[in-house]
Amino acid sequence: MGDNVLIAPYVQIYTATHPLKASDRIKSNSSNSTYITTTQPVVIGNNVWIGGNSVIFPGVTTGDNVTIGAGSAVNRDIPSNVLAMGNPCKIIKKLE
């Protein structure tokens, strides 16, 4: 996480992920079950503002000087110097 990052209330930043197929995700034997999970990093640049109730998905990188609108689902990388929002999150405009 970079410098001067503002995170509004109820923002969720996830790094955990798992296989989609249950047979790949759950390994059972006669006494117990184990679950396969992995993590992917989340990188947040400098001077980023993340609006309330936004969700940042595993593996996403946010550039510098980015504003993420409230309620966004950020499921792909966001370049520097933009306003992005929505579900899924998309670039709305370049910030100068």
Side-chain angles (χ1 to χ4, degrees):
M1 191 169 299
D3 295 330
N4 303 311
V5 174
L6 299 173
I7 300 176
Y10 305 109
V11 168
Q12 301 167 69
I13 301 172
Y14 293 110
T15 61
T17 187
H18 54 74
L20 297 177
K21 280 180 55 180
S23 60
D24 293 339
R25 181 175 61 245
I26 304 166
K27 303 299 179 187
S28 297
N29 60 37
S30 60
S31 61
N32 64 5
S33 295
T34 58
Y35 300 88
I36 306 300
T37 60
T38 59
T39 59
Q40 295 179 350
V42 171
V43 178
I44 299 172
N46 296 317
N47 310 314
V48 173
W49 178 10
I50 304 172
N53 287 309
S54 293
V55 178
I56 312 294
F57 284 71
V60 168
T61 294
T62 300
D64 296 334
N65 310 309
V66 169
T67 298
I68 303 293
S72 294
V74 186
N75 61 354
R76 63 181 64 114
D77 291 351
I78 305 295
S80 294
N81 304 304
V82 297
L83 166 65
M85 64 178 72
N87 185 358
C89 189
K90 63 182 181 177
I91 297 168
I92 303 300
K93 68 178 181 176
K94 194 122 173 88
L95 301 174
E96 301 291 327

